Amino acid sequence: ERDCGAIDVVCYSAEGGTVAKVEIRAWLHPRLGACSLHLGVLQGGRKSEWTCPADAKSVTWPEGLEKVDAKAASLPLQALPEHLQGADFSMPAKASKSNDGETVVEPCIAGISFVMKNSTGTEWFKPRSGGDATCRFSSFGRWKGEWAQVAERIVDQEVSSSQMSLRKRYENCLELVDEWEKQSQGMTM
């Protein structure tokens, strides 16, 4: 298991909530060279099934997006300053008020899921969990109460795993507690 780098994905509203913009930034090990995403679009709030990004016609994808099959496309990352690679895209969105009066902006796609590969396709890499990297842009169906990030992570682990054993759930729980202890230095929840 080698460290390949880190990736950040951010989705934010623009133009008064009528557009959602996504920025993908990857800090990757230089040995990898140019890389691309092998990605699919997520259509439902909790669904993990991929649909092909090339078929999401309302999304303004960057140049270079190529359909791979009915469920996936390849998107080359562009070289950016300071040893970064990245890609940006945008899509229509709707702004509405939630029950508590908060403005909620919902993009036309619920999110993306992906793995990465180097430009030659000889090396593929995934998150340490071994699954696909998943970035959800929709807030519908999410817990918004206390510890929302923990609940979101647990749900993502449950829906992204093809088989979730009791042992895997236990290991995930230990990992969450370990991270919390490191962040809080043992303070109480």
Side-chain angles (χ1 to χ4, degrees), residues 73-150:
S74 180
L75 178 63
L77 297 175
Q78 304 301 312
L80 300 171
E82 314 233 355
H83 307 288
L84 287 173
Q85 296 182 46
D88 299 345
F89 60 93
S90 62
M91 68 198 98
K94 287 184 180 180
S96 61
K97 294 282 186 192
S98 68
N99 291 341
D100 59 3
E102 180 184 352
T103 300
V104 177
V105 176
E106 285 296 319
C108 71
I109 63 173
I112 59 172
S113 202
F114 61 90
V115 294
M116 295 182 74
K117 64 180 179 172
N118 64 2
S119 61
T120 61
T122 57
E123 188 171 359
W124 292 67
F125 38 104
K126 298 179 171 193
R128 283 192 176 98
S129 67
D132 302 331
T134 299
C135 304
R136 298 210 178 266
F137 309 143
S138 173
S139 62
F140 284 120
R142 291 185 176 172
W143 171 252
K144 294 183 178 136
E146 202 169 352
W147 303 102
Q149 288 179 319
V150 173

Side-chain angles (χ1 to χ4, degrees), residues 23-45:
E23 295 177 356
I24 302 168
R25 297 295 180 265
W27 295 264
L28 301 174
H29 194 285
R31 74 173 164 74
L32 298 171
C35 292
S36 63
L37 300 179
H38 178 82
L39 76 155
V41 166
L42 304 173
Q43 291 295 340

Side-chain angles (χ1 to χ4, degrees), residues 7-30:
I7 188 164
D8 284 332
V9 180
V10 63
C11 180
Y12 60 94
S13 66
E15 300 177 30
T18 61
V19 172
K21 294 187 175 188
V22 176
E23 295 177 356
I24 302 168
R25 297 295 180 265
W27 295 264
L28 301 174
H29 194 285

Side-chain angles (χ1 to χ4, degrees), residues 37 39 52-56 59 61-67 72-76:
L37 300 179
L39 76 155
C52 185
D55 296 336
V59 178
W61 296 103
E63 286 198 34
L65 181 77
E66 290 185 28
K67 186 172 186 167
S74 180
L75 178 63

Side-chain angles (χ1 to χ4, degrees), residues 157-158 164-174:
Q157 289 171 341
E158 291 285 333
M164 182 62 81
S165 67
L166 183 58
R167 178 180 175 172
K168 182 66 177 162
R169 285 184 179 99
Y170 178 74
E171 290 168 352
N172 289 344
C173 181
L174 287 177

